[in-house]
Amino acid sequence: MLLDARQWQGGTPEAFELWLTRLEEWIRAGELRAYSALYAESIQVFLGGTIRDRLTPLLPYFSSPDEAACWQWLGSQGLAVGTAG
């Protein structure tokens, strides 16, 4: 999965908890093999550590402000990738 959250404006702690819980469910069900994310600076500061702490033990995780770096990393995980657009 490549999540592009560069335009996220935020959300309640409950909304982020639900989102992370759903990601964990996908991982445990084998529906998500690697996770890469493009985050807005405000989201990265707010969520960066929480996401790394919860997802990294479960699957490969990478975040960057550079979309090409995210695609490249996903490809390095053995996944067939393409860019949107």
Side-chain angles (χ1 to χ4, degrees):
M1 171 186 280
L2 173 57
L3 172 70
D4 186 345
R6 291 175 289 187
Q7 294 184 26
W8 281 14
Q9 297 297 312
T12 65
E14 294 83 7
F16 286 117
E17 179 60 33
L18 286 172
W19 172 70
L20 278 171
T21 298
R22 183 62 182 131
L23 282 176
E24 290 170 335
E25 290 170 358
W26 288 343
I27 294 164
R28 287 183 172 78
E31 298 172 2
L32 189 60
R33 293 184 35 211
Y35 178 81
S36 184
L38 295 156
Y39 289 116
E41 183 68 27
S42 60
I43 299 296
Q44 183 66 30
V45 169
F46 181 68
L47 281 181
T50 300
I51 293 168
R52 276 189 300 278
D53 291 348
R54 285 184 57 180
L55 297 185
T56 300
L58 303 175
L59 84 163
Y61 170 77
F62 176 79
S63 67
S64 172
D66 179 9
E67 183 175 354
C70 288
W71 285 119
Q72 182 178 10
W73 180 84
L74 286 168
S76 77
Q77 300 303 303
L79 302 172
V81 298
T83 58

